Amino acid sequence: MNARPGAYGAGAADRRIVIIGAGIVGCGLADELTARGARDVTVLEQGPLPAPGGSTSHAPGLVFRTNASKTLSDFASYTVEKFSALTEGGRPCFDAVGGLEIATGEEQWAELHRKAGLAASWGIAGELVDARRCARLWPMLDAAKVLGGFHTPGDGLARALPAARAQTARARAAGARFLDRHTVTGIERDGDRVTGVVTDRGGFPADVVISAAGFWGPVIGAMAGVRVPLLPLAHQYVKTSVLAGVDGRRPILRFQERDLYFREHVAEGPERDGTGRIGIGSYAHRPMPVDPSAVPAFDDAPVMPSSLPFTPDDFAPSWEDSCRLLPALDGARAEEGFNGVFSFTPDGMPLLGEAPGLRGFWLAEAVWVTHAAGVARALAEWLTEGRPATDVHECEISRFEEARLSPAYVTERGTRQFAEVYDVVHPLQPPRRPRPLRVSPWYERQRELGAYFLEGAGWERPQWYEANAPLADGVALPERDAWSARHWSPVAAAEARATRERVALYDMTPLRRLEVAGPEALDFLQHLTTNQLAKKPGSVTYTLLLDDAGGIRSDLTVARLAADRFQVGVNSGMDLDHLTRRAPAGVQVRDITPGTCCVGVWGPRARDLVQPLTRTDFGHRAFGYFKAKQAFVGEVPVTALRLSYVGELGWELYTSADLGLRLWDTLWAAGQPYGVVAAGRGAFDSLRLEKGYRAWGQDMTTEHDPYEAGLGWAVRMDKGDFVGRAALAGRSAGTARRRLVCLTLDDPAAVVLGKEPVYADGVPAGYVTSAAYGCSVGRTVAYAWLPARAAVPGTAVHIEYFGEKAAATVVAEPLFDPAMERIRR
């Protein structure tokens, strides 16, 4: 089999690379690429260098590393590391003044406890401090209004333009060329591959084009025929009149309850006299979307293209809030202000990677200064080494499917991201609009049953059903705190119990599935995955997609439906993109999700429900575990897979979307004598954790190998070559220095949700990946990454939850039915 080579890591030293945009990201990319041996790098900029007028030119430079996303925290940490080592004019490009987030209300004070936990999880030094310490750190504060703060001494201010200039100088010294006053007018392509960039001053042949154009990203994308889901929005920033006692040494101050941040501005050099100005940024105003195609060119802009006229009426409430928090501002003025343009995406994450459908065209968009150096390094690693060392699945452009690329969707969700920048947002909090967008064929039946919907990838996903509320009356559960009780109901526990005791229907339609077909399909999948797929038609196999370094880029369920046809259950559009790019001419990869649906029928009465509806033998001897059959259920043709991600007997039943409602109604009516219930994701997550089933993207990513993740059994080193095999040579569960382990909380009433730090021997040692209350075991079950020395069953650890340490114990897995007797009946 001769699969087409992927674009990643294909000899960057010899490729012609053109970067569009010389802002902080483009300059950083040129620096990181040339440092890794890239010899032909050209950076094109439409404005004048060294200050071309994009978002970098006005960025306030705040770098707060603590984020709910480990990836963004890692990016920001590298920004601090790199910019601290860069100098321009003899001065470092990073001022480590620290960061201080304050709380004036109980909700925000609790949120700061949660942030302190995130910082501990990601290895960032920080401490919770009282109001007096806040006032010492920021003497202008009215301490009487403050409950406390979260201080991170390693955070600070990136000097964006000097950092861009310093990186430009290093890249030029390594051979890169920077051309300003070159406006891109077109992207050349030959079929599905980019071939060059056209500007108003000539063309530039290219093997790789990277759009780092900032809020102009959608304009560049349109030239290439690539939709870039990015919304430019204006954000207000002012500088006060000169104030005494401003010395440039105070930490960045964030007052998130009023959507405000503050930093000091002082004159550089020995002329400092203890006076300066306070810079104030506000997200409290109305969203102000900007059409990137209508932004004036540098020479036509009153100040610069990214700096729009200040609208004082929008800032007036923020000025009042600022004066109340900092009484010293009462005699000052908001002297100089502007509305600065920068980028938001529908989920608030950057847009990175090679664009689907156009080989060689890469994106490095929607990147703030905070994360710029980390993003540049990751993309440079991706292009030169085949993979970034940091997991970037939250940032990959291919995460957005067709249904989430419309201008209306991008505008609505991008605006929401702006409004919620400083809000306390629960990890399960669903957006309000535009919904519903994607629904399964039985959506109306779910509504009739009182489904409480959350959303994932645009899909409406029931979390539980209020119709099952009477079942919760007999379920004894510990009381929850207000945070963990959000988007949760005891009904989910009742549904989990009904699954264990009777039978339940689960909507699995949102889980993506592909058809891989053709005479070379088996060889193709064998080469890309770790497990043995050379089995008879009718077999189903759990397997892994690895990268070249052995990191887990996804896990798959592969059903061989015919000698040359496979149904592959994947995790996201990134898997579709990965397989499509690598498919040889004899293999077709097709996304069948939109035209199909799936219901999971699981529980000890599952066979009692399904068997009378079909003439196909669903008995265990005829239809064993991890097998597939084509059958009819009632009048509906189905592909039935004998799988269970809840640890009970049952099947996944797939059919076409037009027959989905008929399938649901048939199963629902037949299940009434057996007490069938509809069950949601709350029950599903509880049951799958009791069974030890991993969720890719939560429990493992490209940063982990199969042996660390406890999935070595899905690797067949003796089957022949496959992607990642060479990297796994010599590795085993015994050589793993860290492991994904199961924990149970010692107190049955204790709850954690995920991403909390785990302490071993009194120090942070790892973090929780997934957690849920295990109804069958009567306590919270959590999975966490820990060093091998602490990953031994019986080890006592603590998990920090909102500042409180809950005792937990490492336990052997799986907790439920370790002999697999219930699944294999």
Side-chain angles (χ1 to χ4, degrees), residues 544-557:
L544 305 174
L545 276 179
L546 304 183
D547 59 26
D548 288 331
I552 305 172
R553 63 167 298 121
S554 192
D555 63 343
L556 313 178
T557 302

Side-chain angles (χ1 to χ4, degrees), residues 349-374:
M349 299 296 288
L351 302 173
L352 308 180
E354 192 176 23
L358 184 55
R359 297 168 67 81
F361 185 79
W362 290 67
L363 297 178
E365 300 290 9
V367 182
W368 295 4
V369 169
T370 306
H371 311 116

Side-chain angles (χ1 to χ4, degrees), residues 229-249:
L230 176 160
L231 178 70
L233 286 140
H235 158 59
Q236 291 198 301
Y237 190 78
V238 305
K239 292 180 182 178
T240 67
S241 53
V242 174
L243 295 164
V246 178
D247 61 9
R249 295 180 175 86

Side-chain angles (χ1 to χ4, degrees), residues 604 607 619-620 642 648-649 820-825:
R607 186 175 286 115
H620 181 64
R642 179 88 185 272
E648 294 292 340
L649 170 70
M820 302 285 283
E821 294 173 350
R822 296 173 71 93
I823 287 179
R824 300 181 185 277
R825 326 180 185 200

Side-chain angles (χ1 to χ4, degrees), residues 170-484:
R170 297 198 331 180
R172 277 179 168 151
R177 59 177 175 166
F178 287 73
L179 303 176
D180 64 358
R181 300 291 188 172
H182 281 65
T183 299
V184 174
T185 59
I187 304 295
E188 295 182 319
R189 56 189 294 172
D190 181 6
D192 68 347
R193 180 173 288 281
V194 72
T195 59
V197 177
V198 180
T199 77
D200 59 350
R201 298 175 67 176
F204 296 84
D207 304 301
V208 174
V209 174
I210 307 170
S211 177
F215 61 81
W216 286 283
V219 177
I220 300 299
M223 295 178 190
V226 173
R227 279 176 286 185
V228 178
L230 176 160
L231 178 70
L233 286 140
H235 158 59
Q236 291 198 301
Y237 190 78
V238 305
K239 292 180 182 178
T240 67
S241 53
V242 174
L243 295 164
V246 178
D247 61 9
R249 295 180 175 86
R250 295 187 186 124
I252 310 161
L253 178 66
R254 291 208 287 191
F255 183 24
Q256 294 181 274
E257 288 153 297
R258 291 293 183 271
D259 298 310
L260 292 168
Y261 63 83
F262 306 85
R263 59 153 294 185
E264 295 183 311
H265 290 273
V266 296
E268 297 183 10
E271 66 274 16
R272 287 190 185 186
D273 59 2
T275 64
R277 301 197 284 174
I278 303 296
I280 306 172
S282 172
Y283 293 98
H285 55 82
R286 62 188 170 90
M288 303 182 213
V290 175
D291 180 358
S293 63
V295 173
F298 186 91
D299 293 330
D300 299 326
V303 180
M304 65 178 83
S306 63
S307 181
L308 304 183
F310 187 59
T311 51
D313 289 346
D314 290 306
F315 191 75
S318 292
W319 178 251
E320 293 177 4
D321 287 333
S322 300
C323 291
R324 279 192 288 268
L325 182 70
L326 307 175
L329 295 180
D330 281 345
R333 303 182 311 280
E335 192 170 74
E336 176 188 324
F338 65 96
N339 292 359
V341 184
F342 65 143
S343 305
F344 285 81
T345 59
D347 59 5
M349 299 296 288
L351 302 173
L352 308 180
E354 192 176 23
L358 184 55
R359 297 168 67 81
F361 185 79
W362 290 67
L363 297 178
E365 300 290 9
V367 182
W368 295 4
V369 169
T370 306
H371 311 116
V375 164
R377 178 177 67 171
L379 209 65
E381 290 171 338
W382 209 340
L383 281 159
T384 61
E385 301 166 29
R387 69 186 290 270
T390 301
D391 166 55
V392 295
H393 82 271
E394 295 173 302
C395 308
E396 286 199 46
I397 178 59
S398 54
R399 72 188 184 273
F400 287 106
E401 303 170 30
E402 189 78 12
R404 297 191 293 153
L405 288 172
S406 70
Y409 182 92
V410 173
T411 298
E412 178 64 43
R413 292 294 172 89
T415 300
R416 172 179 178 260
Q417 288 297 323
F418 176 91
E420 293 182 348
V421 162
Y422 276 0
D423 288 359
V424 177
V425 179
H426 193 278
L428 293 178
Q429 182 172 312
R432 295 176 183 169
R433 297 184 302 270
R435 291 179 65 192
L437 181 63
R438 309 176 78 182
V439 299
S440 70
W442 38 83
Y443 175 68
E444 290 303 323
R445 296 290 186 266
Q446 293 168 337
R447 293 184 63 194
E448 292 167 5
L449 292 170
Y452 183 88
F453 290 102
L454 298 183
E455 190 213 54
W459 287 96
E460 295 297 315
R461 304 176 74 167
Q463 196 73 356
W464 70 82
Y465 295 84
E466 284 299 326
N468 295 325
L471 301 177
D473 293 342
V475 179
L477 296 171
E479 193 169 330
R480 289 201 166 207
D481 65 277
W483 183 257
S484 64

